[in-house]
Amino acid sequence: MTDDRPLRVETQGRVGLITLHRPQQLNALNDALMDALGEALLAFDADPGIGAIVITGSEKAFAAGADIEAMADLTFMDVTQGQFITRNWETIRSVRKPVIAAVAGYAMGGGCELALACDVIVAAESARFALPEIKLAMLPGAGGTQRLPRAIGKAKAMDMCLSARMLDAQEADRYGLVSRVVPDAELLERTLVLATQIAAFSLPALVAIKESVNRAWESPLTEGILFERRALYGRFASSDAHEGMHAFLDKRKPAFAHR
């Protein structure tokens, strides 16, 4: 019996693991996959037993872009009335918990944009990143023209978008596109170790940090500082923060209740 599910979902301790699974299409991102991904992300976000989420693909491809076959005959009215991309690709923006992309092989077009929408990108040495939409007389429309300049700067983002330049893992690391580079054979193991480490911290503090860093990315400094200060003050209403500080003074490991 054929298993047509476009992704696999499992938990490992306090980590939710989502594996994209369209192997014949190199995990090309169609509506069915993005709908399922959004559902999985929201389910993990709502689960109090989960503190961090990992999204990964296969050894060959994290995701080799959007599904061009599904897009080729769409009209302007089709994409407008159907809220193309907005309807399901943007679900990840509402996830409050840390989301980590574990990328091996190709992260092309929409695959690169999906990785950019995550909070941390761990790249295998085989990882390749590109936004080649210009080759189709299209543009990166799932956040690529907006998130990429914020990640690597205008000049390098223009180069990638206008020329379809592909970055290998080491270039992506130098540019600031990825968080760290690891050997291919250790990608998932080391990403799960990182996710487990993050998930062990106080969940409300993780959410506050994610919100504050995202505000820095999207706001002027004055507004960002104001947001950060209010988030800091809010920590003093958290039992975890008091537990963390007293554990430090007592020279013991904190026992976070995620409250």
Side-chain angles (χ1 to χ4, degrees):
M1 182 175 179
T2 302
D3 187 348
D4 294 328
R5 293 176 299 167
L7 52 78
R8 304 286 186 265
V9 177
E10 59 185 289
T11 60
Q12 297 201 14
R14 287 184 54 80
V15 176
L17 174 61
I18 301 171
T19 304
L20 309 181
H21 187 72
R22 297 187 72 210
Q24 300 304 315
Q25 297 81 20
L26 296 179
N27 295 331
L29 304 171
N30 63 1
D31 264 352
L33 190 155
M34 295 310 295
D35 286 343
L37 176 60
E39 291 173 6
L41 286 168
L42 293 178
F44 280 141
D45 203 37
D47 185 344
I50 295 297
I53 304 166
V54 173
I55 302 174
T56 193
S58 68
E59 295 178 358
K60 291 184 177 180
F62 175 69
D67 192 331
I68 304 304
E69 183 177 359
M71 297 167 49
D73 295 321
L74 294 177
T75 68
F76 175 80
M77 291 308 299
D78 289 335
V79 296
T80 302
Q81 293 179 340
Q83 291 192 312
F84 179 59
I85 293 177
T86 303
R87 183 182 65 78
N88 46 16
W89 285 66
E90 293 294 298
T91 304
I92 195 170
R93 294 186 62 194
S94 66
V95 176
R96 302 182 72 197
K97 295 173 182 176
V99 181
I100 304 169
V103 179
Y106 293 110
M108 308 290 287
C112 183
E113 290 173 301
L114 175 58
L116 283 168
C118 296
D119 303 307
V120 176
I121 302 175
V122 180
E125 291 172 343
S126 66
R128 299 293 183 267
F129 299 87
L131 294 173
E133 286 84 351
I134 187 61
K135 294 181 177 181
L136 307 178
M138 296 292 282
L139 61 82
T145 65
Q146 304 305 301
R147 292 190 177 100
L148 188 64
R150 287 169 167 81
I152 67 175
K154 177 185 174 182
K156 290 181 171 59
M158 280 288 195
D159 187 2
M160 287 185 67
C161 291
L162 296 178
S163 72
R165 180 181 180 185
M166 183 183 295
L167 302 183
D168 63 27
Q170 297 301 331
E171 288 174 310
D173 189 28
R174 290 198 302 271
Y175 281 15
L177 177 60
V178 305
S179 308
R180 56 183 77 180
V181 178
V182 301
D184 280 60
E186 300 175 16
L187 174 64
L188 188 55
E189 177 187 358
R190 289 179 61 169
T191 303
L192 289 172
V193 167
L194 171 62
T196 299
Q197 176 188 359
I198 291 172
F201 294 127
S202 169
L203 181 56
L206 293 171
V207 170
I209 290 171
K210 176 171 173 172
E211 289 177 344
S212 297
V213 173
N214 281 335
R215 184 59 62 100
W217 209 37
E218 299 170 1
S219 305
L221 178 60
T222 300
E223 171 65 20
I225 290 292
L226 177 62
F227 187 92
E228 176 193 76
R229 203 59 37 81
R230 288 174 175 169
L232 173 65
Y233 293 169
R235 294 290 78 233
F236 288 88
S238 165
S239 59
D240 278 351
H242 292 282
E243 164 64 12
M245 290 186 284
H246 282 287
F248 174 81
L249 294 173
D250 296 341
K251 296 182 173 57
R252 60 176 173 81
K253 185 177 180 179
F256 293 129
H258 306 290
R259 299 180 63 85

